[in-house]
């Protein structure tokens, strides 16, 4: 009888240890799942911000196109004024004035459309907390087995959700890299155009001063 009781105590001890390990593993999976879901939410918000930033860059590049067109129109107007002024001078002084109108060329840049993809985080999984009621040893073991089965199902669900979220985060990271690369290329295209337009504005200022 003594050996039977010792055996039962040892079995209960190992069952308690296994249950404690199962609880730790389940709780760890819950925390990891929650953290991944939060990361996915942050990633989705970042993609939205990148899309908005891309729209702003598109508007800025379109503004550069409009400025370039306006400057070319202004240059033509100044050339016409200089031509008329030169004709008047020739009329009165019979001196011919040589004018060398400046020409400006600019290349139209194609704007790239960007798509942003965003991933939505999964709904948080709420886990039931339950404990086996006191009773006979056989009933306790049956209830403990049901509880462990429920834990295993929840753990499998958490792991599956974590795997899916990690895949979504990977795709989201690739999309972010593509969007950022496209935006960097767009900024690199715009930078020399801004310099060119600045020089054109300075040149127009000098030409305007000569007419006054």
């Amino acid at each position: 009888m003594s050996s039977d009781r010792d055996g039962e105590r040892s079995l209960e001890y190992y069952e308690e240890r296994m249950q404690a390990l199962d609880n730790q593993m389940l709780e760890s999976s819950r925390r990891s799942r929650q953290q991944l879901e939060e990361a996915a939410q942050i990633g989705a918000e970042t993609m939205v911000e990148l899309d908005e930033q891309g729209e702003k860059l598109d508007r800025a590049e379109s503004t550069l196109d409009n400025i370039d067109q306006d400057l070319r129109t202004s240059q033509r107007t100044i050339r016409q004024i200089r031509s008329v002024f030169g004709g008047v001078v020739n009329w009165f002084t019979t001196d011919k004035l040589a004018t060398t109108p400046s020409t400006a060329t600019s290349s139209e840049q194609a704007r790239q459309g960007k798509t942003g993809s965003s991933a939505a985080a999964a709904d948080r999984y709420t886990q039931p907390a339950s404990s086996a009621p006191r009773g006979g040893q056989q009933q306790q073991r049956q209830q403990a087995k049901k509880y462990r089965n429920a834990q295993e199902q929840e753990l499998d669900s958490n792991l599956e959700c974590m795997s899916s979220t990690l895949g979504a985060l990977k795709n989201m990271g690739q999309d972010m890299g593509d969007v950022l690369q496209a935006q960097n290329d767009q900024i690199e295209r715009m930078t020399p155009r801004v310099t060119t337009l600045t020089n054109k504005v300075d040149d127009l200022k000098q030409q305007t001063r000569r007419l006054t």
Side-chain angles (χ1 to χ4, degrees):
M1 295 296 294
S2 175
S3 60
D4 292 341
R5 285 195 296 270
D6 292 340
E8 290 179 357
R9 290 174 182 173
S10 298
L11 180 60
E12 290 177 358
Y13 171 78
Y14 285 116
E15 287 179 346
E16 290 176 357
R17 289 292 300 163
M18 291 177 60
Q19 186 63 53
L21 293 174
D22 289 342
N23 290 339
Q24 292 177 1
M25 184 180 301
L26 182 60
E27 186 61 29
S28 176
S29 71
R30 290 169 181 168
R31 290 193 302 268
S32 299
R33 176 175 177 173
Q34 181 178 359
Q35 291 171 354
L36 285 174
E37 289 172 348
E38 291 174 354
Q41 180 63 32
I42 294 173
E45 294 172 355
T46 303
M47 286 298 300
V48 172
E49 293 177 357
L50 287 176
D51 288 341
E52 294 175 351
Q53 178 174 294
E55 293 175 357
K56 293 178 181 178
L57 286 175
D58 287 341
R59 289 194 295 270
E61 192 168 15
S62 178
T63 300
L64 291 179
D65 293 337
N66 295 333
I67 293 174
D68 191 17
Q69 182 63 40
D70 291 340
L71 289 176
R72 283 187 287 177
T73 301
S74 299
Q75 286 178 330
R76 286 195 299 267
T77 302
I78 290 177
R79 287 198 296 267
Q80 292 172 359
I81 293 175
R82 292 177 61 183
S83 178
V84 171
F85 181 75
V88 172
V89 172
N90 286 334
W91 178 266
F92 287 101
T93 65
T94 67
D95 291 334
K96 295 182 179 180
L97 301 176
T99 60
T100 58
S102 60
T103 61
T105 61
S106 62
S107 60
E108 300 293 335
Q109 299 289 342
R111 292 186 297 274
Q112 300 177 350
K114 295 163 294 298
T115 59
S117 65
S118 59
D123 295 335
R124 252 179 216 178
Y125 184 86
T126 57
Q127 65 281 356
S130 60
S131 58
R134 293 292 182 179
Q137 290 183 352
Q138 187 66 24
Q139 183 179 4
Q140 285 181 339
R141 290 174 181 172
Q142 290 177 354
Q143 291 179 346
K145 182 177 179 180
K146 291 180 180 179
Y147 183 68
R148 284 195 298 271
N149 290 337
Q151 282 185 319
E152 290 177 357
Q153 291 178 359
E154 183 182 358
L155 180 60
D156 290 341
S157 176
N158 289 341
L159 293 176
E160 182 178 356
C161 179
M162 289 164 61
S163 176
S164 176
T165 306
L166 284 171
L169 285 172
K170 178 182 178 181
N171 294 333
M172 195 181 302
Q174 293 175 347
D175 290 339
M176 287 182 185
D178 294 340
V179 171
L180 287 172
Q181 183 61 49
Q183 292 182 359
N184 288 335
D185 294 342
Q186 188 174 15
I187 291 174
E188 289 180 359
R189 290 199 313 268
M190 292 169 61
T191 300
R193 295 191 64 194
V194 171
T195 302
T196 301
L197 291 176
T198 301
N199 294 335
K200 285 185 178 181
V201 171
D202 294 338
D203 183 61
L204 282 175
K205 287 180 180 179
Q206 293 177 3
Q207 294 183 46
T208 304
R209 292 192 187 100
R210 295 193 193 105
L211 294 177
T212 58

